Amino acid sequence: MSSEPVPPPPWRRSANKSARPHLSVATIVAAALRVMDAEGLDAVSMRRVAQDLGTGAASLYAHVRNKQELHELILEEVFRGLEVPTPDPRRWQEQLKELIGQTTRIMLARPGTAQISLQTMIPMRPGTLAAMDATLGILRCAGIPDQIADYAADALALYGTAYAYEASLWPSSEAGQAEARRRITEIEEYLSTLPADRFPHLLAMMRRPFHEENGSERFEFALDIFIAGLAKYADPGLTE
Amino acid sequence: MSSEPVPPPPWRRSANKSARPHLSVATIVAAALRVMDAEGLDAVSMRRVAQDLGTGAASLYAHVRNKQELHELILEEVFRGLEVPTPDPRRWQEQLKELIGQTTRIMLARPGTAQISLQTMIPMRPGTLAAMDATLGILRCAGIPDQIADYAADALALYGTAYAYEASLWPSSEAGQAEARRRITEIEEYLSTLPADRFPHLLAMMRRPFHEENGSERFEFALDIFIAGLAKYADPGLTE
DNA sequence: ACCTGAACACCGTTCAAGT
DNA sequence: ACCTGAACACCGTTCAAGT
């Protein structure tokens, strides 16, 4: 009457193996993306991802340095879909707008990636480097001096990322959106309570329909303004 | 031979009371700011702040709804120091630059506040509302139409905040900075390993001294470009 | 080389109980 | 009304032990 646990028969063992493939960076990133898409970036913890793979958190550390690296690998995976144009100096403004717009759309489509991008001080992987290289390419091709191109590419990437991050904070659930609208009403009531000269301009703005514009109007406007300001550094000989 | 614990004598009790004043929103926020300045925003947890006040985390919930609200109260406290100008239409560009610069400097001086600001989707407290109202004031005073002023104020605040956030990621410890430099060298080596046509523009940029500019040059440049692009919406009759 | 369970030192928030 | 300890359901990361 031994009380030792019965070991599983060998065919069970191999069945398990084929049902859940070996851990690898690829399977881990895939699981992390699944978790992020379903439950948001906050849920992409080492423990939660490991759970999705039927193992413990410690097992992931053989393939990934830490959580920050796992998040960066998600960003890289998402940016693989980026399509970069061949620079045409006469169309630099449209190309720039389209490229920054595309990176922003990619991040908006996967809420969570904008936050990773913002947290990743130094981009170190091909996907994100490709986006930066392409932006620089368009600017330099238009004859914009390197120093200016460098600063402009940095500012454009930062603004696009911050815009996507802010947009991705907007709750996706019906309940969350109702709560957000409630908070906006709350502050409108608060503003109209105050003496009229406390925040006169916010008050004046409130009389226009609040937050009613088309989703990307804000973003496009800011981009247009910045590109207009940038245009004076382009070389008219190249851009006609 | 009783084993009951001896109660503290009454004068000890009152000595304790004066040494650690009653909890209040003000004392909690002050403690939170102390923790943030000393150990960064990540350390500003309910438990850590409560510990600093000699109590348990649960006690804070009588004064503060949750951690997010505590963070917002830190932001509010920090923005109390903001000085807003009286708009002068002929100096709107300088005033705008100075105001956005000031908000950004405030956030840079207290690493952690930029992250809170970015996470606080809807600003709901006097300090942050004052900054937005002042920005709108300068723009409207220059004759910029309300819709444009709204978008521009939004973009300027977002860029300033994102810039401060990115800057605040830069490690403050000597060891952290060395590590960051090591990572930059790593990616430079990686780039020069690749075929020259993979990231040609990043490679070209690398030959210029990397990250060597004055701290706020990038920021000022982006602001100037945006304001230049904005200028065409100002009313020349007002701004001369 | 790869994987594991257990442990360590943390989280935010709730709740019944006390004053 | 305010405060408390304990509990619940989580974290990231390390490490000795297994295969």
Side-chain angles (χ1 to χ4, degrees):
Chain A
M1 281 223 311
S2 159
S3 63
E4 286 170 63
V6 180
W11 63 86
R12 213 42 203 102
R13 241 171 166 289
S14 56
N16 270 343
K17 280 223 170 170
S18 65
R20 188 239 296 166
H22 272 134
L23 288 181
S24 70
V25 175
T27 55
I28 291 171
V29 171
L33 256 167
R34 278 199 308 273
V35 172
M36 187 180 83
D37 286 341
E39 302 168 42
L41 183 62
D42 286 349
V44 183
S45 62
M46 298 301 272
R47 292 175 121 107
R48 180 69 188 75
V49 170
Q51 189 200 116
D52 225 55
L53 292 163
T55 182
S59 304
L60 307 186
Y61 285 84
H63 305 273
V64 141
R65 201 196 309 270
N66 53 28
K67 192 171 94 159
Q68 170 65 19
E69 185 173 84
L70 177 54
H71 283 186
E72 285 176 34
L73 289 167
I74 292 177
L75 191 67
E76 175 62 18
E77 177 65 27
V78 167
F79 265 83
R80 288 172 71 88
L82 188 81
E83 279 164 38
V84 307
T86 17
D88 171 357
R90 277 156 314 185
R91 300 204 306 121
W92 73 273
Q93 302 202 13
E94 297 148 65
Q95 286 192 322
L96 191 57
K97 214 181 147 180
E98 159 53 21
L99 182 60
I100 303 297
Q102 200 194 337
T103 60
T104 306
R105 280 195 303 276
I106 287 177
M107 290 188 277
L108 286 173
R110 302 272 206 163
T113 49
Q115 188 181 332
I116 300 172
S117 180
L118 227 33
Q119 278 164 354
T120 308
M121 196 187 22
I122 307 161
M124 293 200 60
R125 280 159 225 284
T128 40
L129 292 174
M132 188 50 78
D133 191 72
T135 310
L136 286 171
I138 293 169
L139 293 167
R140 296 178 84 214
C141 183
I144 291 170
D146 281 2
Q147 165 105 327
I148 309 287
D150 187 16
Y151 286 178
D154 182 75
L156 286 165
L158 186 56
Y159 177 73
T161 307
Y163 174 83
Y165 175 65
E166 199 183 43
S168 71
L169 288 180
W170 202 256
S172 50
S173 74
E174 206 45 65
Q177 281 177 29
E179 162 70 10
R181 276 192 295 269
R182 211 180 51 68
R183 283 182 57 123
I184 288 175
T185 316
E186 226 171 80
I187 145 175
E188 285 180 340
E189 277 161 16
Y190 166 69
L191 286 177
S192 48
T193 289
L194 260 35
D197 62 340
R198 183 70 203 279
F199 299 126
H201 306 291
L202 283 175
L203 229 105
M205 289 309 195
M206 256 178 55
R207 278 180 223 119
R208 301 190 308 111
F210 199 58
H211 262 157
E212 217 197 42
E213 84 279 5
N214 175 295
S216 60
E217 227 176 85
R218 250 162 220 280
F219 177 69
E220 305 233 337
F221 167 79
L223 227 53
D224 284 340
I225 294 285
F226 190 82
I227 292 175
L230 201 54
K232 67 165 173 278
Y233 294 99
D235 182 342
L238 295 170
T239 57
E240 269 180 333
Chain B
M1 284 222 307
S2 159
S3 64
E4 287 171 64
V6 180
W11 62 87
R12 216 37 206 104
R13 243 173 164 289
S14 55
N16 271 341
K17 280 221 171 170
S18 65
R20 188 237 297 165
H22 272 134
L23 288 181
S24 71
V25 175
T27 55
I28 291 171
V29 171
L33 255 166
R34 276 198 310 273
V35 172
M36 188 179 82
D37 285 342
E39 303 168 40
L41 182 62
D42 286 350
V44 183
S45 62
M46 298 302 271
R47 292 175 120 107
R48 180 70 189 75
V49 170
Q51 188 200 116
D52 226 54
L53 291 163
T55 183
S59 303
L60 307 186
Y61 286 82
H63 302 89
V64 142
R65 201 197 309 270
N66 52 29
K67 192 171 94 160
Q68 169 65 19
E69 185 173 85
L70 177 54
H71 283 185
E72 284 176 35
L73 289 167
I74 292 177
L75 191 66
E76 175 60 19
E77 177 65 26
V78 167
F79 265 83
R80 288 172 70 88
L82 188 80
E83 279 164 39
V84 308
T86 16
D88 171 357
R90 279 157 311 184
R91 301 205 306 120
W92 73 273
Q93 302 201 12
E94 297 148 66
Q95 287 193 322
L96 191 57
K97 215 181 147 180
E98 159 52 22
L99 182 60
I100 303 297
Q102 199 193 339
T103 60
T104 307
R105 279 194 304 276
I106 288 176
M107 290 189 277
L108 286 173
R110 302 271 205 164
T113 49
Q115 188 181 331
I116 299 172
S117 180
L118 226 35
Q119 278 164 355
T120 307
M121 196 187 21
I122 306 161
M124 292 200 59
R125 280 159 225 285
T128 40
L129 292 174
M132 188 51 75
D133 191 71
T135 310
L136 286 171
I138 293 169
L139 293 167
R140 296 178 84 213
C141 183
I144 290 170
D146 281 2
Q147 164 105 328
I148 309 286
D150 188 15
Y151 287 178
D154 182 75
L156 285 165
L158 186 55
Y159 177 74
T161 307
Y163 175 83
Y165 175 65
E166 200 184 41
S168 71
L169 288 179
W170 201 255
S172 49
S173 74
E174 205 45 66
Q177 283 178 27
E179 163 69 11
R181 276 192 296 269
R182 210 180 52 67
R183 282 182 58 124
I184 288 175
T185 316
E186 226 171 80
I187 144 176
E188 287 181 338
E189 277 162 15
Y190 166 69
L191 286 177
S192 49
T193 289
L194 260 37
D197 63 338
R198 185 67 204 280
F199 299 125
H201 306 291
L202 284 176
L203 230 103
M205 289 309 193
M206 254 179 54
R207 276 178 225 121
R208 300 188 312 110
F210 199 57
H211 261 156
E212 216 196 42
E213 83 279 6
N214 176 294
S216 59
E217 228 175 84
R218 250 162 221 280
F219 177 68
E220 304 233 337
F221 168 79
L223 227 52
D224 285 339
I225 293 285
F226 190 82
I227 292 176
L230 201 54
K232 66 166 174 277
Y233 294 100
D235 183 341
L238 296 170
T239 57
E240 269 180 332

